[in-house]
Amino acid sequence: MDMKKTAVALAVLISTGAFAQSSYTLFGVVDLGIGNYSGATASVTKLTSSGLSSSQIGVRGSEALAGGMGGHFWLEAGINPQSGGLQTTNTNNISTGATGGGGLTFNRRSTLSLTGGFGELRLGRDYTPGFWSKTIFEPFGTLGVGSAFNLSTKLLGENTVRASNSLSWLYNIAPNGGSHGLGSKGLYAQAMYAWGGNITDAAAATPTKSTDGNLAGLRVGYADGGMNIAFASERTQNSATTYGGS
């Protein structure tokens, strides 16, 4: 009986010690408002979402690993609280890949990463390097009628904000941090490559290539106190239209 009690106590101690090295956070935002939209021949008044901050729900966590390294995950889903619905995602980084919305879809971010002295290696669906420069330095942010995203989204295609099937290396950027570069001191960087996962089909009505949806992007910046300066460039391959810019 005493041996069983000792074994149970040891198991509790080990479990408690492991839990102390882990960190898990459940987070979310619910943003609702009433908007009126008028055009030349029609108008509507309706309940809207994400007027000030994007409505979302998610969970993220970190685990301390041997050798000073860390493991991290981040699952973030966009929600439409006015209807209770969920948002769609994009599986192949071109417009034909939109899917989901019937169940919980982690369309905003779905990543697994490893950190260490080398920086961070991150896999999954994530924000592109170009997105951070637009949203951090945009006076009106990424939401609302004054946002520059109302124009750039039409010019730069599907991956203006996020890319699926991506591999990123990040330097001097907190793995579970918010805006890239904000809070950093000194040089920081993000390099990303994403695969569209499409096939080559020359006989299709709109011919496709296996490189469609592939994205390459880079962002380098320097922050010191109130100063923050960055350069970003990215390019997405598409047989029909090539998107790119700096």
Side-chain angles (χ1 to χ4, degrees):
M1 182 63 70
D2 291 339
M3 292 181 63
K4 290 182 178 180
K5 288 183 178 179
T6 302
V8 171
L10 181 60
V12 172
L13 180 63
I14 292 174
S15 178
T16 303
F19 181 78
Q21 298 176 29
S22 305
S23 173
Y24 303 97
T25 302
L26 178 67
F27 62 93
V29 173
V30 176
D31 180 308
L32 281 171
I34 299 176
N36 177 269
Y37 305 87
S38 299
T41 59
S43 65
V44 62
T45 298
K46 63 179 184 177
L47 205 63
T48 62
S49 176
S50 302
L52 181 63
S53 181
S54 300
S55 293
Q56 59 192 261
I57 186 170
V59 59
R60 59 178 182 260
S62 299
E63 180 79 25
L65 303 176
M69 294 193 296
H72 313 269
F73 74 91
W74 187 304
L75 298 172
E76 181 179 322
I79 59 176
N80 299 312
Q82 71 272 35
S83 64
L86 295 157
Q87 298 175 5
T88 61
T89 187
N90 189 291
T91 59
N92 66 355
N93 295 331
I94 55 178
S95 59
T96 57
T99 186
L104 191 60
T105 303
F106 296 109
N107 63 310
R108 291 178 56 82
R109 179 174 166 183
S110 176
T111 61
L112 183 67
S113 62
L114 180 69
T115 57
F118 52 85
E120 178 184 3
L121 291 177
R122 185 183 295 176
L123 295 165
R125 178 170 173 81
D126 198 12
Y127 295 90
T128 66
F131 163 79
W132 289 114
S133 283
K134 288 194 288 290
T135 188
I136 289 175
F137 301 114
E138 165 59 46
F140 297 99
T142 58
L143 302 170
V145 296
S147 171
F149 273 69
N150 294 326
L151 174 63
S152 63
T153 300
K154 302 301 181 183
L155 294 177
L156 299 179
E158 287 294 313
N159 303 318
T160 304
V161 179
R162 305 172 184 88
S164 298
N165 316 312
S166 71
L167 168 64
S168 291
W169 169 75
L170 304 97
Y171 174 74
N172 196 24
I173 296 172
N176 282 351
S179 299
H180 286 206
L182 293 182
S184 299
K185 184 174 178 61
L187 182 69
Y188 60 88
Q190 177 189 10
M192 171 184 278
Y193 191 83
W195 292 266
N198 296 289
I199 63 172
T200 297
D201 187 355
T206 301
T208 60
K209 297 180 179 179
S210 60
T211 55
D212 285 350
N214 290 5
L215 173 146
L218 174 67
R219 180 169 182 256
V220 179
Y222 183 86
D224 187 3
M227 181 189 74
N228 190 0
I229 183 171
F231 167 83
S233 179
E234 63 187 50
R235 187 177 183 87
T236 302
Q237 176 64 39
N238 189 316
S239 293
T241 305
T242 299
Y243 303 108
S246 302

